[in-house]
Amino acid sequence: MDAQTVLTTTRSVRRKLDLDREVPQDVLDDCLRVAQQAPAAGSMAVQFRWLLVRDADTKAAIAAYNRETAEAAWEKYGHLVEERALASAQHLVRNLERVPVLAIPCMLGRPPADAFSQSAYFGSAYPAIWSFQLALRARGLGSSICGYHLQDHEADVAALLGIPDDVMQISLLAVAYTTQRDFRPAARPAVEDVTYLDTWGSPLPRR
């Protein structure tokens, strides 16, 4: 699969994850090695960690924490979400314990207070997360970020998994093979509609 295809067809996969197919560890290892090559700010590359969860009981506990927060959010704000997107999210959250692997990217140290340092902190984590997702896609797997527990239950999940207090869970990814491979580019705003030149509100020239 060429780079252009991987970059334009890596979707957040929820309803088309294969919940019954095992994900070999060597495939995950290859994807994590790719993620290790992502750009990071200075010394922060060595602060990044992955925690992979396969144990059924542990996944069930994490899924319960995610569901509690997600269901409360949907009750309040679900009417504001496009129906198809809401149904997709609900499917994943309500089946999260069945996903073969839950991957939790973490950073050593808690998030800094100022905007500049936060940019470096989170900006050193998400390129690795995205590279991991791209590597999964290239190997026939899908993923979806599903970190509802971070709102109310980060400490509960940390206690469950033995994560130290000075380590931040950045997100949670559901990882599985997909039941289809022919994903297509999604509808997105035109570049000219979301890009300004030199000053805010000054549009790019139309071509």
Side-chain angles (χ1 to χ4, degrees), residues 130-199:
W130 181 230
S131 290
F132 179 61
Q133 292 183 282
L134 293 173
L136 290 168
R137 165 74 176 126
R139 291 161 176 77
L141 289 89
S143 62
S144 181
I145 290 176
C146 187
Y148 288 100
H149 76 280
L150 295 174
Q151 177 70 36
D152 304 305
H153 296 293
E154 185 201 356
D156 295 309
V157 171
L160 177 70
L161 300 175
I163 299 173
D165 291 341
D166 62 347
V167 173
M168 172 71 181
Q169 300 167 60
I170 302 297
S171 187
L172 181 147
L173 290 88
V175 177
Y177 280 98
T178 58
T179 57
Q180 73 172 58
R181 292 209 60 174
D182 58 338
F183 295 98
R184 295 175 292 179
R188 294 289 189 263
V191 170
E192 295 83 358
D193 293 336
V194 297
T195 309
Y196 306 134
L197 181 63
D198 293 328
T199 59

Side-chain angles (χ1 to χ4, degrees), residues 85-106:
L86 178 61
S88 179
Q90 289 174 331
H91 172 80
L92 176 60
V93 169
R94 291 167 181 172
N95 289 280
L96 192 60
E97 68 275 12
R98 295 182 57 204
V99 175
V101 180
L102 301 181
I104 302 177
C106 301

Side-chain angles (χ1 to χ4, degrees), residues 23-34 52 54 100-101 103 132 136 139 141 175-176:
V23 176
Q25 186 60 43
D26 61 332
V27 174
L28 287 178
D29 291 345
D30 286 344
C31 294
L32 292 172
R33 291 188 186 98
V34 172
L52 306 179
R54 291 180 177 274
V101 180
F132 179 61
L136 290 168
R139 291 161 176 77
L141 289 89
V175 177

Side-chain angles (χ1 to χ4, degrees), residues 25-106:
Q25 186 60 43
D26 61 332
V27 174
L28 287 178
D29 291 345
D30 286 344
C31 294
L32 292 172
R33 291 188 186 98
V34 172
Q36 285 293 93
Q37 297 300 317
S43 63
M44 290 192 180
V46 298
Q47 294 178 236
F48 194 77
R49 298 289 188 275
W50 291 95
L51 201 164
L52 306 179
V53 181
R54 291 180 177 274
D55 178 74
D57 291 339
T58 306
K59 287 190 298 180
I62 294 171
Y65 287 130
N66 270 268
R67 268 195 294 275
E68 181 180 320
T69 300
E71 296 287 356
W74 294 332
E75 186 174 350
K76 287 184 178 180
Y77 307 113
H79 65 285
L80 302 175
V81 182
E82 191 269 327
E83 184 176 348
R84 182 179 177 186
L86 178 61
S88 179
Q90 289 174 331
H91 172 80
L92 176 60
V93 169
R94 291 167 181 172
N95 289 280
L96 192 60
E97 68 275 12
R98 295 182 57 204
V99 175
V101 180
L102 301 181
I104 302 177
C106 301

